[in-house]
Amino acid sequence: MGNPELIASLRAEPTEDESNLLDLYEKLKKYEKFAGKLRQEAIMAIQREKDEKFRQEQQRLADVKKPKQMTHRKKRKKSEDGSEMGNFSDGDANSDDAVSDKDEDMGANNYVSGYDDINVGSNVKHDGDNNDDDDDADEVNVEVNEEEEKKKKELEEAIGEKAQLSIAAMPSLRKKVVNLNADIGSIIESAPGGEKLPTPVHEFSESLHLLEQESNGKLLFPLHGEGNIKPEWWYPPPNATHMSEGCLEMELTDFRSTNLGASGGNNTIFVKFSVPQDSSRFSINIAGPGHREYYDVLFHFNPRQFHKGGQLIINDKQDGIWGMGVTAPLSAVPLIFGRNSSTLAVQITPEGFDVFLDGEHCARLEHRTQLPPNPCSLYLHFPSTDDYGSPENWKVYKVWWGHKAPMAGKDVTNITGVNSHMYGGLHPKKLFVSGLSKLADEPSVELRRAELERAFRKYGGAQGAIVIVPLNSTYAFVELESERMADLALTEVKNYRMNRARRSKQDMLQEKKDSEEAAKVTATSESTEWD
């Protein structure tokens, strides 16, 4: 039932101390409410005061402008009545808003001094008409001018001396007269301060010294002449389905591989280009004579914006098989995609193909095949699509071919691709099977793997052939028992297009690991025999 004493104490009347506390609490609540009301009234009073000041300021500005309009209105009335207006012309008397050339030159300085125009009524001279209307008009003008002077002084005091000084210090605005018949060269020379204007997007920088009269080379694209008119730029046809459909090709004449280090031999290509922000990739190929429709490529340049976070890939192709690409992240090279224009330079040296973007040495593809020993022409190829028919997207403005002194620095140890030959070469036991149909699902990949394992079973030894089939690709790798078995398979299997696969970096590391383990086992066995 509960504690009777506790219930009784709760129902009892409050003590005197408790009553005093309750009364004090009520008073505090009233005081807080009253203080809040006072704060609100103070804020409203401040706001009303600000509003009143703003209204008075607006009224003062309106009063200053009103006498000017009254003065001009009175003058117009006198002119209509036939009285003389001093030295005013018709244009001056009827155009309050007209601005003279001098006024435009003065610009912002007229903010304060422009009020002098209000006094124009006091300078009006009369030739002697003393009728009552003229006397009344003069009295009105004098009274108005005195009122204007008073308002003007009040406004200047309101603006303050600091504002007047800052306005007077403003530069004057002048009209810029452009001679449309002037030669463009004179306009460029007349740049402010004698500074050179930026290089146009379709032109090479003057610092490259690629002009015909001062360079050891020539412009290959675009060409202008009688019967040889080409467009100002080239871009891949958007509907192209093959790399050669609408592609751009040009011959790199007078190439001498034995003369690369000497002066005068053609060794450098410059390409002025731009790539849209939404482009995914573009590419360039350099091939030797007898390239069989670029089935063999000495040098391949291919930036890919959306591949593994953005990569620059340089590579070669032999017998239709791409080699092991040299890759550099796009974040480590000058910006390519989305710029107004860029300049690519590819210089052929005794070591390889050096790649420069906007003057920065970005990568090197060391020679993987022997360059033509005799004087010949190389071929520069701008394909319209990739190997799978996907269109490429970029624009080529100019192409130059000629001789340049070595552009690489002395220390190239940190350049991507230097000493990459350590991982090159052909794999002794692995074959590259190309020309297959693209597979987009795992069940199809498993069927192809089983098909290739059956086709190369007798060349794989006791374990059989090891087959790798990448998803969404048109190729496969088949590793056999030995180099001799790989040679037999290349000779006997006729149903597939095959070549020796290139040794990858992973293969090199695996071979190194295997050799170290074999050496360790040999050393262990020898020590056991001696024991």
Side-chain angles (χ1 to χ4, degrees), residues 21 34 79 83 144 161-162 177 186 242 261 274 278 323 349 352 359 384 397 400 405 442 444 446 451 488:
L21 287 175
F34 183 70
S79 177
S83 60
V144 168
E161 183 179 356
K162 183 176 180 181
V177 180
S186 64
H242 188 267
S274 65
D278 58 350
T349 68
S384 299
Y397 297 109
W400 182 92
E442 290 294 340
S444 300
E446 292 297 329
E451 173 191 338
L488 286 175

Side-chain angles (χ1 to χ4, degrees), residues 2 94 189 205 222 294 365 422 424 454 460 462 519:
N94 297 321
E189 291 176 358
S205 173
Y294 301 98
L365 181 69
M422 297 171 57
R454 287 194 299 270

Side-chain angles (χ1 to χ4, degrees), residues 295-365:
Y295 200 63
D296 299 307
V297 174
L298 298 174
F299 172 80
H300 175 73
F301 173 84
N302 178 208
R304 303 178 184 179
Q305 183 173 195
F306 307 116
H307 179 72
K308 296 182 179 179
Q311 286 190 333
L312 168 63
I313 301 174
I314 55 176
N315 206 345
D316 76 319
K317 184 164 65 171
Q318 299 178 27
D319 294 328
I321 302 174
W322 289 108
M324 186 179 65
V326 175
T327 61
L330 289 181
S331 58
V333 303
L335 183 65
I336 301 175
F337 294 88
R339 287 194 61 187
N340 288 334
S341 64
S342 302
T343 302
L344 167 69
V346 180
Q347 188 169 60
I348 308 174
T349 68
E351 292 78 24
F353 294 84
D354 282 328
V355 179
F356 300 83
L357 279 168
D358 293 324
E360 181 178 329
H361 194 181
C362 300
R364 170 182 289 178
L365 181 69

Side-chain angles (χ1 to χ4, degrees), residues 357-416:
L357 279 168
D358 293 324
E360 181 178 329
H361 194 181
C362 300
R364 170 182 289 178
L365 181 69
E366 296 177 335
H367 294 302
R368 296 179 175 179
T369 57
Q370 184 181 4
L371 295 175
N374 300 320
C376 63
S377 293
L378 300 181
Y379 295 90
L380 183 61
H381 179 225
F382 300 85
S384 299
T385 70
D386 60 12
D387 289 350
Y388 305 110
S390 301
E392 301 192 339
N393 187 10
W394 66 315
K395 185 179 289 186
V396 177
Y397 297 109
K398 286 190 183 306
V399 180
W400 182 92
W401 164 247
H403 172 78
K404 279 288 183 181
M407 300 167 60
K410 294 182 180 180
D411 185 9
V412 295
T413 54
N414 294 324
I415 301 300
T416 301

Side-chain angles (χ1 to χ4, degrees), residues 101-109 171-177:
D101 292 340
K102 184 177 179 180
D103 293 335
E104 291 183 0
D105 291 341
M106 294 301 294
N109 293 332
S172 61
L173 302 178
R174 299 179 181 272
K175 284 184 177 180
K176 183 176 180 180
V177 180

Side-chain angles (χ1 to χ4, degrees), residues 220-223 230-237 240 242-252 269-273 283-287 291 294 379-385 392 394-400:
L220 300 183
F221 178 86
L223 294 177
K230 291 188 176 182
E232 293 293 336
W233 56 76
W234 171 89
Y235 57 89
H242 188 267
M243 59 184 295
S244 297
E245 184 179 348
C247 67
L248 180 64
E249 297 178 275
M250 53 197 69
E251 184 178 0
L252 307 178
I269 300 165
F270 281 94
V271 180
K272 186 77 171 185
F273 67 95
S283 61
I284 294 174
N285 296 319
I286 299 176
H291 53 75
Y294 301 98
Y379 295 90
L380 183 61
H381 179 225
F382 300 85
S384 299
T385 70
E392 301 192 339
W394 66 315
K395 185 179 289 186
V396 177
Y397 297 109
K398 286 190 183 306
V399 180
W400 182 92

